[in-house]
mmCIF file of all heavy atoms in Angstrom:
data_model
loop_
_atom_site.group_PDB
_atom_site.id
_atom_site.type_symbol
_atom_site.label_atom_id
_atom_site.label_comp_id
_atom_site.label_asym_id
_atom_site.label_seq_id
_atom_site.Cartn_x
_atom_site.Cartn_y
_atom_site.Cartn_z
ATOM 1 N N SER A 282 42.931 171.935 117.952
ATOM 2 C CA SER A 282 43.718 173.160 118.012
ATOM 3 C C SER A 282 44.983 172.878 118.789
ATOM 4 O O SER A 282 45.123 171.832 119.415
ATOM 5 C CB SER A 282 42.932 174.273 118.708
ATOM 6 O OG SER A 282 42.778 173.947 120.066
ATOM 7 N N PHE A 330 46.123 154.687 114.924
ATOM 8 C CA PHE A 330 45.143 153.949 114.141
ATOM 9 C C PHE A 330 44.027 153.387 114.999
ATOM 10 O O PHE A 330 42.940 153.107 114.498
ATOM 11 C CB PHE A 330 45.830 152.822 113.362
ATOM 12 C CG PHE A 330 46.700 153.343 112.266
ATOM 13 C CD1 PHE A 330 48.076 153.274 112.358
ATOM 14 C CD2 PHE A 330 46.146 153.918 111.143
ATOM 15 C CE1 PHE A 330 48.885 153.776 111.359
ATOM 16 C CE2 PHE A 330 46.941 154.420 110.141
ATOM 17 C CZ PHE A 330 48.319 154.347 110.244
ATOM 18 N N HIS A 331 44.284 153.231 116.300
ATOM 19 C CA HIS A 331 43.207 152.663 117.102
ATOM 20 C C HIS A 331 42.129 153.710 117.375
ATOM 21 O O HIS A 331 41.069 153.379 117.871
ATOM 22 C CB HIS A 331 43.755 152.123 118.427
ATOM 23 C CG HIS A 331 44.109 153.181 119.422
ATOM 24 N ND1 HIS A 331 45.323 153.819 119.444
ATOM 25 C CD2 HIS A 331 43.407 153.693 120.443
ATOM 26 C CE1 HIS A 331 45.339 154.681 120.431
ATOM 27 N NE2 HIS A 331 44.202 154.633 121.059
ATOM 28 N N SER A 356 53.844 154.476 110.472
ATOM 29 C CA SER A 356 55.038 155.207 110.071
ATOM 30 C C SER A 356 56.172 154.896 111.029
ATOM 31 O O SER A 356 55.965 154.746 112.221
ATOM 32 C CB SER A 356 54.751 156.691 110.090
ATOM 33 O OG SER A 356 54.357 157.067 111.384
ATOM 34 N N ASP A 358 59.654 156.490 112.510
ATOM 35 C CA ASP A 358 60.261 157.813 112.598
ATOM 36 C C ASP A 358 61.395 157.962 111.615
ATOM 37 O O ASP A 358 62.337 157.195 111.634
ATOM 38 C CB ASP A 358 60.806 158.035 114.014
ATOM 39 C CG ASP A 358 59.702 158.448 114.955
ATOM 40 O OD1 ASP A 358 58.568 158.601 114.500
ATOM 41 O OD2 ASP A 358 59.987 158.603 116.138
ATOM 42 N N GLU A 383 42.903 160.362 114.921
ATOM 43 C CA GLU A 383 43.664 161.336 115.697
ATOM 44 C C GLU A 383 45.150 161.140 115.489
ATOM 45 O O GLU A 383 45.614 160.044 115.199
ATOM 46 C CB GLU A 383 43.358 161.169 117.191
ATOM 47 C CG GLU A 383 41.951 161.541 117.548
ATOM 48 C CD GLU A 383 41.649 161.176 118.980
ATOM 49 O OE1 GLU A 383 42.592 161.056 119.778
ATOM 50 O OE2 GLU A 383 40.471 160.990 119.300
ATOM 51 N N ARG A 390 64.206 167.705 114.527
ATOM 52 C CA ARG A 390 65.456 168.398 114.828
ATOM 53 C C ARG A 390 65.521 169.663 114.006
ATOM 54 O O ARG A 390 64.834 169.800 112.998
ATOM 55 C CB ARG A 390 66.638 167.512 114.462
ATOM 56 C CG ARG A 390 66.677 166.260 115.250
ATOM 57 C CD ARG A 390 67.928 165.506 114.922
ATOM 58 N NE ARG A 390 67.687 164.093 115.042
ATOM 59 C CZ ARG A 390 68.311 163.171 114.345
ATOM 60 N NH1 ARG A 390 69.221 163.511 113.473
ATOM 61 N NH2 ARG A 390 68.029 161.909 114.513
ATOM 62 N N ASP A 456 63.557 176.815 119.230
ATOM 63 C CA ASP A 456 64.152 178.110 118.928
ATOM 64 C C ASP A 456 65.371 177.863 118.055
ATOM 65 O O ASP A 456 66.351 177.291 118.499
ATOM 66 C CB ASP A 456 64.536 178.808 120.230
ATOM 67 C CG ASP A 456 64.884 180.254 120.003
ATOM 68 O OD1 ASP A 456 65.109 180.631 118.843
ATOM 69 O OD2 ASP A 456 64.932 180.998 120.991
ATOM 70 N N ILE A 466 74.451 175.200 128.090
ATOM 71 C CA ILE A 466 73.709 175.206 129.355
ATOM 72 C C ILE A 466 73.455 173.786 129.835
ATOM 73 O O ILE A 466 73.610 173.470 131.015
ATOM 74 C CB ILE A 466 72.405 176.014 129.199
ATOM 75 C CG1 ILE A 466 72.732 177.481 128.996
ATOM 76 C CG2 ILE A 466 71.526 175.853 130.409
ATOM 77 C CD1 ILE A 466 71.537 178.325 128.707
ATOM 78 N N PHE A 471 75.046 169.154 133.566
ATOM 79 C CA PHE A 471 75.662 167.851 133.786
ATOM 80 C C PHE A 471 76.968 167.973 134.534
ATOM 81 O O PHE A 471 77.305 167.157 135.402
ATOM 82 C CB PHE A 471 75.889 167.144 132.444
ATOM 83 C CG PHE A 471 74.697 166.396 131.978
ATOM 84 C CD1 PHE A 471 73.701 167.021 131.264
ATOM 85 C CD2 PHE A 471 74.558 165.051 132.262
ATOM 86 C CE1 PHE A 471 72.590 166.327 130.841
ATOM 87 C CE2 PHE A 471 73.449 164.351 131.839
ATOM 88 C CZ PHE A 471 72.464 164.985 131.130
ATOM 89 N N TYR A 474 76.330 168.483 138.199
ATOM 90 C CA TYR A 474 75.994 167.220 138.869
ATOM 91 C C TYR A 474 77.248 166.404 139.123
ATOM 92 O O TYR A 474 77.530 165.955 140.232
ATOM 93 C CB TYR A 474 74.991 166.465 137.997
ATOM 94 C CG TYR A 474 75.114 164.976 138.024
ATOM 95 C CD1 TYR A 474 74.603 164.234 139.069
ATOM 96 C CD2 TYR A 474 75.738 164.302 136.990
ATOM 97 C CE1 TYR A 474 74.724 162.866 139.102
ATOM 98 C CE2 TYR A 474 75.858 162.927 137.013
ATOM 99 C CZ TYR A 474 75.350 162.223 138.063
ATOM 100 O OH TYR A 474 75.479 160.868 138.077
ATOM 101 N N LEU A 482 81.672 163.098 147.626
ATOM 102 C CA LEU A 482 82.053 161.713 147.923
ATOM 103 C C LEU A 482 83.474 161.607 148.418
ATOM 104 O O LEU A 482 83.789 160.760 149.254
ATOM 105 C CB LEU A 482 81.887 160.855 146.672
ATOM 106 C CG LEU A 482 80.456 160.496 146.323
ATOM 107 C CD1 LEU A 482 80.441 159.716 145.031
ATOM 108 C CD2 LEU A 482 79.825 159.682 147.424
ATOM 109 N N ARG A 484 85.337 163.930 149.855
ATOM 110 C CA ARG A 484 85.797 164.853 150.878
ATOM 111 C C ARG A 484 86.058 164.083 152.168
ATOM 112 O O ARG A 484 85.248 163.297 152.627
ATOM 113 C CB ARG A 484 84.722 165.904 151.116
ATOM 114 C CG ARG A 484 85.267 167.178 151.701
ATOM 115 C CD ARG A 484 84.149 168.117 152.021
ATOM 116 N NE ARG A 484 83.542 168.670 150.820
ATOM 117 C CZ ARG A 484 82.408 169.363 150.838
ATOM 118 N NH1 ARG A 484 81.766 169.533 151.967
ATOM 119 N NH2 ARG A 484 81.913 169.863 149.746
ATOM 120 N N VAL A 486 87.220 164.087 156.428
ATOM 121 C CA VAL A 486 86.816 164.889 157.573
ATOM 122 C C VAL A 486 87.781 166.039 157.800
ATOM 123 O O VAL A 486 87.391 167.172 158.043
ATOM 124 C CB VAL A 486 86.765 164.010 158.843
ATOM 125 C CG1 VAL A 486 86.303 164.827 160.016
ATOM 126 C CG2 VAL A 486 85.844 162.857 158.594
ATOM 127 N N ARG B 50 48.219 155.947 125.594
ATOM 128 C CA ARG B 50 47.711 155.900 124.216
ATOM 129 C C ARG B 50 48.598 155.035 123.347
ATOM 130 O O ARG B 50 48.124 154.359 122.442
ATOM 131 C CB ARG B 50 47.690 157.303 123.647
ATOM 132 C CG ARG B 50 46.428 158.034 123.975
ATOM 133 C CD ARG B 50 46.452 159.377 123.344
ATOM 134 N NE ARG B 50 45.553 159.445 122.231
ATOM 135 C CZ ARG B 50 45.519 160.434 121.354
ATOM 136 N NH1 ARG B 50 46.363 161.419 121.464
ATOM 137 N NH2 ARG B 50 44.655 160.438 120.384
ATOM 138 N N GLU B 54 47.686 151.774 121.190
ATOM 139 C CA GLU B 54 48.047 151.635 119.781
ATOM 140 C C GLU B 54 48.810 150.343 119.541
ATOM 141 O O GLU B 54 48.566 149.634 118.560
ATOM 142 C CB GLU B 54 48.908 152.834 119.366
ATOM 143 C CG GLU B 54 49.353 152.841 117.933
ATOM 144 C CD GLU B 54 48.242 153.145 116.972
ATOM 145 O OE1 GLU B 54 47.141 153.505 117.415
ATOM 146 O OE2 GLU B 54 48.458 152.989 115.764
ATOM 147 N N ALA B 67 55.683 147.851 114.953
ATOM 148 C CA ALA B 67 55.722 148.159 113.521
ATOM 149 C C ALA B 67 55.928 149.647 113.262
ATOM 150 O O ALA B 67 56.821 150.035 112.547
ATOM 151 C CB ALA B 67 54.440 147.701 112.846
ATOM 152 N N SER B 69 56.521 153.566 114.993
ATOM 153 C CA SER B 69 57.369 153.960 116.128
ATOM 154 C C SER B 69 56.495 154.389 117.277
ATOM 155 O O SER B 69 56.770 155.386 117.911
ATOM 156 C CB SER B 69 58.272 155.107 115.735
ATOM 157 O OG SER B 69 59.049 154.752 114.666
ATOM 158 N N ASP B 296 62.924 159.988 120.009
ATOM 159 C CA ASP B 296 61.728 160.810 120.056
ATOM 160 C C ASP B 296 62.047 162.089 120.807
ATOM 161 O O ASP B 296 62.587 162.048 121.899
ATOM 162 C CB ASP B 296 60.627 160.026 120.771
ATOM 163 C CG ASP B 296 59.278 160.665 120.571
ATOM 164 O OD1 ASP B 296 59.108 161.814 120.980
ATOM 165 O OD2 ASP B 296 58.418 160.010 119.994
ATOM 166 N N ALA B 309 67.380 168.018 120.038
ATOM 167 C CA ALA B 309 66.741 168.702 118.918
ATOM 168 C C ALA B 309 67.676 169.747 118.339
ATOM 169 O O ALA B 309 67.617 170.051 117.158
ATOM 170 C CB ALA B 309 65.447 169.370 119.374
ATOM 171 N N GLU B 310 68.557 170.296 119.198
ATOM 172 C CA GLU B 310 69.382 171.402 118.727
ATOM 173 C C GLU B 310 70.799 170.977 118.376
ATOM 174 O O GLU B 310 71.496 171.693 117.677
ATOM 175 C CB GLU B 310 69.464 172.486 119.821
ATOM 176 C CG GLU B 310 68.127 173.067 120.196
ATOM 177 C CD GLU B 310 67.834 174.355 119.450
ATOM 178 O OE1 GLU B 310 68.670 174.769 118.659
ATOM 179 O OE2 GLU B 310 66.767 174.924 119.669
ATOM 180 N N GLU B 313 74.123 167.052 113.951
ATOM 181 C CA GLU B 313 74.075 165.628 113.668
ATOM 182 C C GLU B 313 75.430 164.960 113.927
ATOM 183 O O GLU B 313 75.519 163.830 114.379
ATOM 184 C CB GLU B 313 73.680 165.456 112.196
ATOM 185 C CG GLU B 313 73.453 164.044 111.750
ATOM 186 C CD GLU B 313 72.197 163.460 112.344
ATOM 187 O OE1 GLU B 313 71.252 164.230 112.563
ATOM 188 O OE2 GLU B 313 72.171 162.258 112.594
ATOM 189 N N ASN B 326 77.509 159.263 132.094
ATOM 190 C CA ASN B 326 77.352 160.039 133.327
ATOM 191 C C ASN B 326 76.656 159.247 134.411
ATOM 192 O O ASN B 326 76.990 159.350 135.586
ATOM 193 C CB ASN B 326 76.506 161.289 133.040
ATOM 194 C CG ASN B 326 77.333 162.531 133.111
ATOM 195 O OD1 ASN B 326 78.260 162.611 133.889
ATOM 196 N ND2 ASN B 326 77.004 163.493 132.292
ATOM 197 N N MET B 330 79.035 157.200 137.912
ATOM 198 C CA MET B 330 78.817 157.458 139.328
ATOM 199 C C MET B 330 78.536 156.199 140.115
ATOM 200 O O MET B 330 78.469 156.249 141.343
ATOM 201 C CB MET B 330 77.648 158.413 139.500
ATOM 202 C CG MET B 330 78.054 159.830 139.375
ATOM 203 S SD MET B 330 79.353 160.190 140.521
ATOM 204 C CE MET B 330 79.855 161.753 139.935
ATOM 205 N N ARG B 337 81.755 154.382 148.482
ATOM 206 C CA ARG B 337 81.567 155.235 149.649
ATOM 207 C C ARG B 337 80.384 154.819 150.511
ATOM 208 O O ARG B 337 80.365 155.034 151.710
ATOM 209 C CB ARG B 337 81.348 156.666 149.147
ATOM 210 C CG ARG B 337 81.720 157.709 150.089
ATOM 211 C CD ARG B 337 83.213 157.786 150.260
ATOM 212 N NE ARG B 337 83.583 159.078 150.778
ATOM 213 C CZ ARG B 337 83.671 159.397 152.078
ATOM 214 N NH1 ARG B 337 83.452 158.482 152.971
ATOM 215 N NH2 ARG B 337 83.977 160.606 152.449
ATOM 216 N N TRP B 408 49.970 175.717 123.258
ATOM 217 C CA TRP B 408 48.566 175.982 122.995
ATOM 218 C C TRP B 408 48.310 177.443 122.657
ATOM 219 O O TRP B 408 47.459 177.740 121.839
ATOM 220 C CB TRP B 408 47.719 175.548 124.195
ATOM 221 C CG TRP B 408 47.775 174.077 124.358
ATOM 222 C CD1 TRP B 408 48.622 173.376 125.148
ATOM 223 C CD2 TRP B 408 46.994 173.099 123.662
ATOM 224 N NE1 TRP B 408 48.422 172.024 124.997
ATOM 225 C CE2 TRP B 408 47.419 171.845 124.081
ATOM 226 C CE3 TRP B 408 45.973 173.180 122.720
ATOM 227 C CZ2 TRP B 408 46.868 170.664 123.601
ATOM 228 C CZ3 TRP B 408 45.430 172.006 122.246
ATOM 229 C CH2 TRP B 408 45.878 170.772 122.684
ATOM 230 N N ASN B 415 61.992 177.740 124.866
ATOM 231 C CA ASN B 415 62.949 178.072 125.904
ATOM 232 C C ASN B 415 62.295 178.177 127.267
ATOM 233 O O ASN B 415 62.896 177.840 128.283
ATOM 234 C CB ASN B 415 63.634 179.400 125.593
ATOM 235 C CG ASN B 415 64.407 179.330 124.307
ATOM 236 O OD1 ASN B 415 64.812 178.254 123.898
ATOM 237 N ND2 ASN B 415 64.590 180.460 123.672
ATOM 238 N N MET B 422 65.188 172.580 133.221
ATOM 239 C CA MET B 422 66.549 172.697 133.733
ATOM 240 C C MET B 422 66.557 172.999 135.216
ATOM 241 O O MET B 422 67.380 172.458 135.961
ATOM 242 C CB MET B 422 67.268 173.824 132.999
ATOM 243 C CG MET B 422 68.183 173.272 131.988
ATOM 244 S SD MET B 422 69.264 174.457 131.297
ATOM 245 C CE MET B 422 68.538 175.966 131.680
ATOM 246 N N ARG B 447 80.845 158.291 164.287
ATOM 247 C CA ARG B 447 82.223 157.940 164.562
ATOM 248 C C ARG B 447 82.786 158.810 165.659
ATOM 249 O O ARG B 447 83.533 158.354 166.521
ATOM 250 C CB ARG B 447 83.062 158.073 163.298
ATOM 251 C CG ARG B 447 84.475 157.525 163.486
ATOM 252 C CD ARG B 447 85.312 157.583 162.245
ATOM 253 N NE ARG B 447 85.481 158.937 161.806
ATOM 254 C CZ ARG B 447 85.015 159.384 160.660
ATOM 255 N NH1 ARG B 447 84.362 158.597 159.846
ATOM 256 N NH2 ARG B 447 85.194 160.634 160.327
#
Side-chain angles (χ1 to χ4, degrees):
Chain A
S282 68
F330 290 109
H331 75 274
S356 59
D358 279 357
E383 293 172 23
R390 297 185 211 151
D456 192 345
I466 292 175
F471 275 85
Y474 146 79
L482 284 177
R484 203 185 289 169
V486 182
Chain B
R50 274 182 107 191
E54 180 72 8
S69 302
D296 194 299
E310 299 264 0
E313 186 70 32
N326 250 327
M330 275 305 168
R337 206 70 159 89
W408 294 94
N415 298 335
M422 257 191 342
R447 188 177 61 244

